[in-house]
Every structure is written in C-alpha cells, then in structure tokens.
Amino acid sequence: MWNTNAILEKTTHYISAFPLRIILTVPFLIQLVLTASLVAWLSFSNGQEAIEKLSKNLRSEITKNIQDNLASYLSTPLYIVQSNLTLVKQGFFKMQDLKQWEVFFREQIHTYKTVNSLAMANEEKDFLAIRRIENEKFSFALSSQKTQFNLINYDYYTNEEIARSNHFDPRTRSWYTNPMTHHGLYWSDIFIALDTSALQLTASIPVIDHNEKPLGILASTLRLDYISDFLSNLKQSQTGQMFVIERKSGLLVASSTEEELFKMGDDNTKKRLNVMESHNNLTRYTAQSLLETVSQFTNITEEQQFDITWSGEHYFLQVTPYKDNYGLDWLIVVLIPESDFMAQIHESTRITIILSLLALLVAIFIGFLTTRWIISPITELNHAAQTLANGDWQSQPLLQISRQDELGELANSFQQMAQQLRISFKNLEDEIIARTQAQASAEAANRAKSTFLATMSHELRTPLNGILGYTQILEDDENLTALQQEGIQTIQRSGEYLLTLINDILDLTRIEANRLEIYPTNFNLIQLLEGLVSYFTNNAQQKNVSFWYEVLTPLPRFICTDEKRLRQILINLLSNAIKFTHRGGITFCVSYQGDCLHFQVKDTGIGIAADDLKHICEPFKQVGDPKYRPDGTGLGLAITKHLLEMLGGELKVNSEVGKGSCFSFILHLPEVAEHEIEKFDKYAMVTGYVGIRRKILVIDDHWENRELLCNLLRPLGFDVFEAINGLDGIEKAKQYYPDLVITDFVMPVMDGFEVIRQIRKLPELKNIPIVADSSSLLDDSFSFTINAFLSKPIKIEELLNVLSELLGLTWIYAGSQPHMAVKTIDPLFTHDDKEQLITPQAIPLPSVFILQSLHELATMGHINGIFKQLNTLENEDTEQVLQPFIHQIRQLAKGFQLDEICQLIEEYVKRVNQEK
C-alpha cells in the first residue's frame, strides 16, 4: 500500500524550496502551455498526415494522366501501319509500286496531324517517305535504283532536291530490323532527326507474303517533343518536375524542364542525353538518388514512391514503369515539392501559435497581478531579509510595516538582529584587514628574499667561475706533479661543494616559484659514487670519525637520470651525517636489485627526536638541542625531499636520540648499455676543430670571466672578441658578425636580456646562436630566445658540447685524427650519376638547431626557405661532410615531399638525442 502521508511530506518538502510567487503562477502557466502545445502539435501532425495522403494521390493522378496521354499519342502510328498493312494484304498496294505509295502517303499525312512521317521500304532497298517538317510544310524522300540508292530529299511541292545521303540502305535501320527480328509490329530505337534535331520514334510492321518471305516494312514516325510539351504544361509548380527515361539505358525521352535532350559528341555529332548528364541539377540529383536506392533502373519493376531533399527543400517522388507489347520500356518520374502543400498548413500553424502566445501572455499578466496581490506583504519581508544579507546594516527601518500583529513583531526582531550582526561583522572586517596587511608584508619580504638570493648567487658565482674555470685548465697541464694535481682536484671539489651550497639557495627560490625541473642524462654511476666517497672520506678524517662505503651488490656502470640532482641529494645526506656525528662513523651503503638503486646513509650521531621527525624537511628548520646544531641553512633536507619526489623516490628516516639516524631512498633506474653512452676520454685533450675559423663574441662585465673563456677558446682556433657590457656587445656584433654569442645576464649599461632582444630584432643577426652563461636564474620568457644555457661556473665539457651542437663542429683531439664523414658513391654509376642512398644511421648530420629550423620551414610549407637554409649550410660545409644530408633534403624539397622531410628530420633529431 502506498503511504499517502509520506508522499505528501516529500512533495511539500520539494515544493517549499521554490518561491511562493512561482508556486502560484507556474502550475497555471504549465497547463496553458501544454494545452496550446498539444493543439499546435495535433494541428501540425494532422496536416502532415493529410499532406502524405494528398501527395500520394496527386502523384498517382499525374502519373495516370501521363500514361493515358502516352497511350493515346503512341496509338496513332500503330493504327496507321496496321491499316496500311491491311491494304497490302487485300491487294490494293504492292511493295514495289513506289509511285502508288507516294500518292497515298501525300494524302494520308494531311489526315493524321500528330504523325511526323509515313514511310515504306522493301527488300530491294527501295525507300519512300513523306515527312512533316512543320505544321503544313513537308518533304519527300526517295531512295531507289532510279537514285542509285542514294537518299534524296525533295521539296514537297516543287520536287527540288533539298539534301542527299549517299549509299542509303534502309534495311540497316532499327525501324526496319526491329520488326523483322520480332516478326511483327515493333518500335524502333529513339533517334535524333537530322533536319529538326528532335527526338523521334518510329512504329514499323513487316510485310510478309504467303510463303513467309519478307517483302519490306511499313512505318510511321512520331516526334517526342510533343511529350515534353505535354509534361511542361502539366507541371504543377515552378520547382516540380516530370520526365521520362528509358529503363535500360537511362537516356532521357522527354522532360518538363524544356532542356535539350541531346549533346554534341567528340565527332561533332548530336548524341542523346543520359539522365545523369542532364543540364538540370534537380533532374540529375533525382536520378542519382534513385540509383543510390535501387542500384539500377532495371530493378524498378513496379510503381514506387520516395522522399528526397534537395537544396533544403523536401520533395515527393514517384517512379512508374511504362511498357507496351511493342518494345517500349520507359520509366515515368514525377517530382512534387512539399512546399506546394505546406504553405496553407504553415499559415494555419502560425496563426495557431500566435493565438496561443497571445493567450499565454494574457494568462501570465493576470497570474502576476493575482500573485502580487496575494504575496505583497511576504515580498516586503523577503526584501528586508535580502537587504540584511547584502550587508546593508544602516537601512532603518528594514521593514516598512506598522502593525501590531505577528509581522510587526517579526519586524522588531529583524531590527535587533541587524544591530547585533553589524557589530559582529565590523569586528570580523577589522581582523581580515589586519591579516591581509600581514600577508602582504610576508609576500613583500618573500620577494625581497628571492631578489636577494638571486643577487647574492650572481655575486658568489662570479669568483667561483674563475676559480673552477682555471682549475679545469690547470688540471690538463701535463707539467704538474701528482701532489699539485691532487691539490688542484681538492680546490675543484671544494669549489664544487661551495657551488652546491649556492645551488641549494637557488633551488629553494625555484621551488617556491615552482620552476625546478629535471634533466635526465646518461652518466657513469661508479665514477660519481667514487668521487663522493673520496671527498667525504677526507671530511670524515678531519672530524676523526670513520667513513665506510659498502657496495652490497654489483652496480650498473651507466644509468640515466639527472646526475646533478642525484649528486645533490647524496651530498646533502652525507654532509648532514658528518655534521651531526662526533664519534663512531658513517656508513654509506649502495645496492642494485630489479632495476632499482637502493641508497642508505647511517650514522652514529646525536639522532633526532620522534616529535622533530615531521619537521626536519621544512625549509630553514633545524631541530634538536640548539647547542648541538652545527652551521647550516636548514635547506638541505627540504630540497632533498622535493628532488626525490621529482625523481620518483621517497625519503625514509629512522632515528633514535643518542644512537644515530638512518636515511634511505630507492630510485627506479634501469641500466644503460655502454654502447649507448657517448664516449669521452677526459685525457684526450681537444686541440682544435675541422673547418673554417669560427668567430665567437663574449659579453661579460667581469674581466676574469671574459679572460677565462678567451683562454679556453683561443687555443682551440676560435677568434674571440670581448665586450664589457650589453651595449658594447651590440656594437661588436654589428662590427664582426660572429658565428656565436656568449653573454651574461646581469651587466651594467645594458643587461643580457636586452642584448638578446636587440640581436633578435636585427635581420642580419637574428639567426646567430646565442648561449647564456650566467649565475642568475633563467627567466622562462627568455628560454625560447636563446639556444643554450650554461650555469656558472662553466664546465669545459658542457661548453664544448654546446659549441659542437650549435656550430656543427668536429673536434680534433691530441694524438688522434678527426672522424670525418665521407660521401659514398655507388660503384655502378659514374661521377655524374645519382648518389647511393645513405641510411639515417650512417649519414652525418648538422646541429639540432639547424634540424629544428628545417623542420619548422617544412611544417609551414616554406620551400624557398628550405632551399636558402640548405644553400647556407652547403657554403659553410667546406669539408663537404654534410653533402649527403643536404642532397637528401634538397631532393625531397624539389618533389614538394614536405611530410617526408618532417618525418626524416624527426628521426634525425631522435638519433642526435640518443647519441648524446
């Protein structure tokens, strides 16, 4: 049983969510709208149904009318030839007596006004015909032994020759062969009359003697343009159509469009027009729609009705076969536009809708008046509540009701509530203002801190750039003793450690700006770990504590991850372990299982309390007893935790006060095959490069930075020009047209950012590669306008890699010959023949910058730009190393194969990245 009370409660609950004005008005409006909509729908639906019935009846009626007219029109020649055959059978005429037939046809042609011609032909090739050229204009045609069987047309009255056709044989014509083949009365093929250009159809009957020997035929011809005239007069509307086609061939027989039913052939002769070649678009579209439905016209064996849409208008279509017993096989197509019927129905629908809308508007107006009269006092109360909700506490009084009843008491309660809320919100507003000011001060302090850190980073990196740069130069000096070499390495490790501390400060700035990124590379893991162990072993010995390095499983030699960030993580953990360990020692354990590297740093230091563990990774946070806190920034573990999360790991900590701590993490790092690692022997010193002498412009306001780059690059064969600030750099660039620019960001007069903007605006300099070497943070907005970024202090290996990539250099090493790429020629061809195809794995390639430039030009479809880029590359390639690549891209560009160029360059870029 239904719970009536529960249903009423739910209904009341839902209804109560709506305003009273809506509850009173909407149901009434819904009833009216539904009633009006139902009436309109019923009216439209009944109209549509009436249209369907009316269109079917009209199509059938028109088709019946056409069929009756065709039967009447086509019956005349059938009757004539049958009557003439009777005369022959009764002996009144002979098939060899041409003169007798001429006299008879001259009289008969005046009797039958719809007949175009009367003719006879016999087996002796004799032919005679009387033709109607116009209403009362005739011609006489004769072909006999007298005319040497040439068909001659004579004037009907003067017997003057009008036209001649040589070697005429009536027995080859369809109006002769068809009745002979079918042994009785039969229609000829439809043909085009030479004198009138009208379609004509001939009814013929064979003449047979008593021995069943054929004597000839009797024929009567009709013009089919009468049918087109009839269809045109029968057409019901401007857009409706009717046409007749042959069912087997699709050739047009008649059309209401008054178009010509023939076309000029390639041999300048007139040929019949297929319905699919009609000059009328609607006729052609109708035929195409029929073929899409029935596949072939021959599949239409009975009356069928369809609906089609053309140019946004709906049409009713009916196709009816028309056949007789004498060879006719036609299709009658009737096309009626729906708009012929819908005009009145649409007008009725519009009137119904307008009346319904008027009734609806009147009902809405009356409903609003009634609702306003009912709920006016309640509306005033609602307005007061909204005023209060909008924070307008000063409106006095909120309710304009001077009553002593319940509404008056409610108004007094509103006034008291408004006063209390005004006091409360005033206090809350004061507190929000105070907090907002505090937050703004904190943000300003944070920005000032970031600016200070970035500035201090630049100032600290500048001397470090000189220290570490010259340690790299001195490290390759073969005259140093082993002790001096060790001292140089100690200076370098200490400088790099100081650089790591500076980077921690910069990393914090990047973390706060959410701009810290990971750059995976292939590197030697064993070499990284041994360097860290050597450094921290010395540090531990200075504190008189032990340092143990334990390799628990065989380690991969090469892995792929961000080497700088992994080193930074390990340095932070090992540094903290040594800082907080005063007795005992530190154990550094590394193992490799299932493509995962396990790192563990254990110490016997002071340990961390359980309450402090959750705070150790907070920036600038140092936990524990202040007297045991060594010097430091409190950033190491915060940065370490963030970096590990970016590398896909998680920092785990176990610690006990007084016993020590254990930090561990796991990284998924599959081993990289040795053959995938770019070979570089640090002791095979670069002494030069292959090719023309290159010019490099160095822009830096610090003399020691410029001097360092000059000492690095000039011995390798580069022409190095110096500029002391950005403005000086622009002038030197215009003067020397360098092949590459190396610039600092922070400089007086004009900074590096403005230098980059100015160079990119100069047409003759805008494509020069620009390398930024700076101690400052790289602004994201400039990362797309420079070609490479080197962080100070500069490492020689990184500098040489950048120069090799941007300038396409082949280095020459001490004691070795450069590896030159050679163009290979197919031995089966001579010097002038085409070159052998070179696979992407074998072909020497230009720099990634040039590859990306060619890819962008191909993407834009800029063929001329591709040729210009290749010509420039070819002029710079004095050693002809890149000729196979240039030839390959040029051939594709000549064939406008832009997609192939893009795919090929993408493969080359992948190869270059893998080789790195």
Side-chain angles (χ1 to χ4, degrees), residues 24-41:
L24 293 175
T25 307
V26 168
F28 174 72
L29 295 180
I30 290 176
Q31 294 178 29
L32 185 60
V33 169
L34 288 177
T35 302
S37 300
L38 182 60
V39 171
W41 179 80

Side-chain angles (χ1 to χ4, degrees), residues 290-348:
L290 282 174
L291 287 177
E292 291 176 355
T293 305
V294 301
S295 299
Q296 297 180 5
F297 291 133
T298 54
N299 293 332
I300 302 176
T301 58
E302 59 183 10
E303 180 179 283
Q304 296 188 38
Q305 293 185 341
F306 307 95
D307 292 344
I308 64 171
T309 300
W310 182 74
S311 295
E313 186 168 359
H314 189 70
Y315 289 84
F316 299 111
L317 174 64
Q318 178 167 306
V319 184
T320 306
Y322 181 83
K323 297 179 66 175
D324 65 4
N325 297 326
Y326 310 114
L328 288 187
D329 191 2
W330 295 349
L331 290 176
I332 301 173
V333 181
V334 177
L335 192 66
I336 302 175
E338 185 185 43
S339 58
D340 290 355
F341 308 96
M342 288 300 295
Q344 185 175 357
I345 292 178
H346 285 163
E347 181 65 24
S348 300

